[in-house]
Amino acid sequence: MGKTTVASAVGVKEYSPTVVSISDGGYQQAKAKANSQSIVRQLMQLIPGLGFSDDPFTDEIKEELKKGYMKSWYELNPSRYFVAADGNWVECDSEKKMLSHEKADKFVLDVYVAFNYSQQAFGALKNEEPAKHDLIGKIRTKFNKYVSNRLSELKNDAKRIYREDNGIKTERAPTALFYDWLTAPDKGALAVIRQRCINAKAKGDETADLAKLDKALASFKGALK
């Protein structure tokens, strides 16, 4: 089965099998889900607490997972090639094209290069080479988001599998009564109105009369009871 490259929601590319029909798409969707669940189950055996702990990832485990995520990211986002021109870095179509500019300064960028800079060295680039800092910064930001999303997915998938395997049902909290929702002291609608009045008064809004508002709110709550 051939594979195509498609854009994902987080700005990286993903390789997906070519879907030749609706039924084939259903088959591949189910197969991908089964493969994903198998991987999560195996990781649950390797990572203590994964599936029932709110924070199963130690720093060491995060680093190990990050190595895998970085390998995947690199496969989906291979090295890019740049040459210096007029104080900027101009991207080339290929390494060969970059090397053809014999006299120009050259720069190869990928996720490994981006994270080879220490935080201190990366920060120093902002003043020393702002254009390069910007390019590297975009890779670091996107990859960090990618890692965060993968960790969240792994934890949530493991929790779902753990609950299913152990017959644990997720009980939904009862919906608050309308009056309780309206008058909740911290996040209730009336509390939000009162806080907005306080904020407006602090900014010099002469129409924000807290005493009058408190009297009106008291009357309003009394009428609802």
Side-chain angles (χ1 to χ4, degrees), residues 59-89:
D59 290 342
E60 292 79 7
I61 289 172
K62 283 182 180 179
E63 281 303 310
E64 286 299 305
L65 288 170
K66 187 175 179 180
K67 289 178 184 177
Y69 298 148
M70 188 171 286
K71 182 178 179 181
S72 173
W73 177 280
Y74 179 75
E75 289 177 349
L76 303 173
N77 299 269
S79 299
R80 298 160 61 195
Y81 306 98
F82 298 85
V83 295
D86 300 324
N88 292 308
W89 290 103

Side-chain angles (χ1 to χ4, degrees), residues 2 6-7 28 51 56 59-60 74 81 91 108 110-111 118 138-139 145 201 207 222:
V6 297
Q28 294 194 53
D59 290 342
E60 292 79 7
Y74 179 75
Y81 306 98
E91 188 167 2
V108 179
D110 55 46
V111 68
S118 67
K138 289 177 180 177
I139 295 292
K145 182 178 180 180
K201 185 176 179 65
T207 66

Side-chain angles (χ1 to χ4, degrees), residues 3-17:
K3 289 188 175 183
T4 56
T5 304
V6 297
S8 78
V10 295
V12 299
K13 295 177 181 178
E14 295 177 352
Y15 293 104
S16 61

Side-chain angles (χ1 to χ4, degrees), residues 179 217-225:
Y179 183 82
L217 292 178
S219 298
F220 179 75
K221 287 190 285 187
L224 283 179
K225 287 185 175 180

Side-chain angles (χ1 to χ4, degrees), residues 53-223:
S53 172
D54 288 332
D55 189 17
F57 304 127
T58 64
D59 290 342
E60 292 79 7
I61 289 172
K62 283 182 180 179
E63 281 303 310
E64 286 299 305
L65 288 170
K66 187 175 179 180
K67 289 178 184 177
Y69 298 148
M70 188 171 286
K71 182 178 179 181
S72 173
W73 177 280
Y74 179 75
E75 289 177 349
L76 303 173
N77 299 269
S79 299
R80 298 160 61 195
Y81 306 98
F82 298 85
V83 295
D86 300 324
N88 292 308
W89 290 103
V90 178
E91 188 167 2
C92 299
D93 295 335
S94 64
E95 183 179 18
K96 183 178 180 179
K97 183 75 171 179
M98 177 189 72
L99 294 175
S100 69
H101 297 271
E102 296 180 0
K103 296 183 179 181
D105 289 335
K106 301 169 184 64
F107 173 45
V108 179
L109 177 61
D110 55 46
V111 68
Y112 291 105
V113 172
F115 283 90
N116 195 42
Y117 287 84
S118 67
Q119 192 62 38
Q120 183 178 4
F122 172 63
L125 276 179
K126 190 169 186 178
N127 294 323
E128 297 170 358
E129 297 186 70
K132 183 180 287 188
H133 178 274
D134 182 60
L135 288 169
I136 292 173
K138 289 177 180 177
I139 295 292
R140 289 167 70 109
T141 298
K142 287 183 178 180
F143 179 71
N144 284 335
K145 182 178 180 180
Y146 179 76
V147 170
S148 177
N149 288 342
R150 298 295 80 75
L151 289 173
S152 294
E153 288 171 357
L154 175 57
K155 185 168 69 172
N156 291 336
D157 287 348
K159 282 189 173 183
R160 179 180 49 76
I161 290 173
Y162 180 83
R163 289 195 298 266
E164 289 177 356
D165 288 352
N166 291 275
I168 300 172
K169 295 183 179 180
T170 303
E171 295 184 1
R172 304 178 72 178
T175 304
L177 296 175
F178 175 74
Y179 183 82
D180 293 337
W181 165 81
L182 188 69
T183 60
D186 295 325
K187 297 182 179 180
L190 300 186
V192 172
I193 293 173
R194 190 176 190 279
Q195 185 59 52
R196 183 160 184 173
C197 179
I198 293 173
N199 295 342
K201 185 176 179 65
K203 294 178 181 179
D205 187 340
E206 295 181 358
T207 66
D209 190 320
L210 187 59
K212 288 183 179 180
L213 178 63
D214 283 339
K215 186 176 180 179
L217 292 178
S219 298
F220 179 75
K221 287 190 285 187

